[in-house]
Amino acid sequence: MTAPASPSPGRGARRPHHPLASEARHGSAPWAALAVFVALAVTMASKAKWWQGSWNEAQFTLHTAATLLGGPLAAAIGCRHGGRERRARMDGLRDSAVRSPLAQFAVSVLPVTVAVALGYALAAAGTLLATWPYTSAGRPRVLLLVGDALFLAAATAGAVVVGRLVRWRPAAVVLAGLTYVALALPDYHGSAVRFLSPAVNGGVGEALPVWWQPLAMAGWAGGVAVAAVLAYAARRPSHRCFALLPLAVALSAAVLLVQAGGRAWQHDPAAGRQVCDDSTPRVCVNALDQGLLPQVSRALSGVTGRLAGVRNAAVRFEDLPRATRPDEAQLPQLFLGQSVVRGELTDPERFAWEAAAGMTSRRLDVCGDADLARFGRIDDAVRDWLASNGYSERRRAYWARAARESGDGRRIASVEADARAFGHLASMDDERRRDWLSRYFASVGSCDARKVPQL
């Protein structure tokens, strides 16, 4: 008599899901990824005009959001996830399982840790894509992105351990608050220990971390998290000595970060260069903003055109992080979110007026208040004539109207005198005005009334 054939699964039978897959699909992981992505995406979108157009500013803003916002959020997510088995009364089931405690912990923690890093990665990708159309120089720093992702993963894994150990429902909220304090408070401390906080930077904008700084920070935060995981999930107390290796890595990275201090950041080499057009005087912008040069040149075309043939004027508008030389004029600063938004000058007429004002300003450390007041009318007339645009006209009209409405006779007389000085300069023929302006610019660095030509 033949034995009955053993039942075999049909072709349509499904194989059981791996525990990691089940955790990733049905556990806290999807919600963790969504929470991190939404928090960072909303924060970055609300500040978009302040970073779009610069790789450095975009990554600095993203890094700040990832540490000061993402760090506490990852800690709260990890802590709440860590207490899930205890709240579900699964401790006994875990203890009776065949897998080792470390394998069980890995199955529980890996999906949510990867999900938090994935949420950050999606927000980072959106940030880079949003700023890419408006940048003209530089490149994204990949290691900085990797370092932030590893920090968030480490914060999540370490918080899971806290959630497993602390039997208190508000633990996740409290841990998030403590994480924020631990990240933000060192920035107000003067010692080199503050550089152990991932949120502390050596500078903003032009200052960038050296290539190894994000890796050292990841080694510091990740080493502490892995040591905590190994110490918690070891099968036997004697196995906890394995936590010493990642702890040694963390301490080595910490020593490197503290000893390097501010030297772990360096100025972007491009910030020390500028690109110029071929106008007279030349218009130069910082190499980080070279894509704005055509717009800046057009905005200042009226000023440079009126300076044609004028002697003693500046030979260039410069845009470098240093004091101007005697033959240079300071270009108005190209601030993201203010004078520049998404690769466009927000107010070209005001920009030109500010450039003209920079050429006609006398230094307070050379001239006293009395001298500045004495020559102010002449300087203002030259500035407004060089600009000669709608912004300049609106300013003069505003001050004239304000003087009339005030009823102050002295103020009205002052505004009328300003208008006569401007009209006198504007009514000169070209050759006489060029000669007068040449003598004027020769006197800009002086407060000697004998050298300043009158109007």
Side-chain angles (χ1 to χ4, degrees), residues 336-413:
L336 287 180
Q338 297 181 23
S339 56
V340 179
V341 174
R342 297 179 181 89
E344 298 287 339
L345 286 176
T346 56
D347 192 342
E349 290 187 342
R350 177 170 181 170
F351 188 83
W353 182 90
E354 290 176 349
M359 299 187 72
T360 59
S361 298
R362 298 179 190 270
R363 293 172 52 185
L364 184 58
D365 59 341
V366 175
C367 304
D369 293 335
D371 292 326
L372 293 178
R374 183 192 313 174
F375 304 127
R377 180 167 292 122
I378 299 173
D379 295 339
D380 291 349
V382 175
R383 175 200 63 204
D384 285 336
W385 183 81
L386 287 177
S388 292
N389 56 31
Y391 180 79
S392 176
E393 293 173 359
R394 289 191 297 272
R395 289 188 82 260
R396 294 199 306 274
Y398 169 80
W399 290 114
R401 183 173 63 255
R404 291 194 302 270
E405 292 175 353
S406 69
D408 187 336
R410 294 180 60 183
R411 188 175 176 184
I412 294 173

Side-chain angles (χ1 to χ4, degrees), residues 43-44 47-66 127-128 130-132 134-135 137-141 144-145 148 201 203-209 268 271 288-289 334-338 340:
T43 300
M44 295 302 295
K47 300 177 179 295
K49 71 176 186 178
W50 301 99
W51 51 263
Q52 279 185 296
S54 168
W55 290 122
N56 295 350
E57 290 294 341
Q59 290 203 255
F60 171 77
T61 307
L62 177 64
H63 171 73
T64 302
T127 298
L128 298 183
T131 199
W132 171 70
Y134 310 109
T135 56
R139 57 182 175 82
R141 310 283 168 162
L144 186 58
L145 300 174
D148 287 343
N201 292 271
V204 299
E206 298 167 1
L208 300 170
D268 192 331
L288 293 175
D289 301 313
L334 297 167
F335 281 124
L336 287 180
Q338 297 181 23
V340 179

Side-chain angles (χ1 to χ4, degrees), residues 294-303 345 347-349 351-353 389:
Q295 292 186 60
V296 173
S297 296
R298 286 195 300 271
L300 299 187
S301 60
V303 176
L345 286 176
D347 192 342
E349 290 187 342
F351 188 83
W353 182 90
N389 56 31

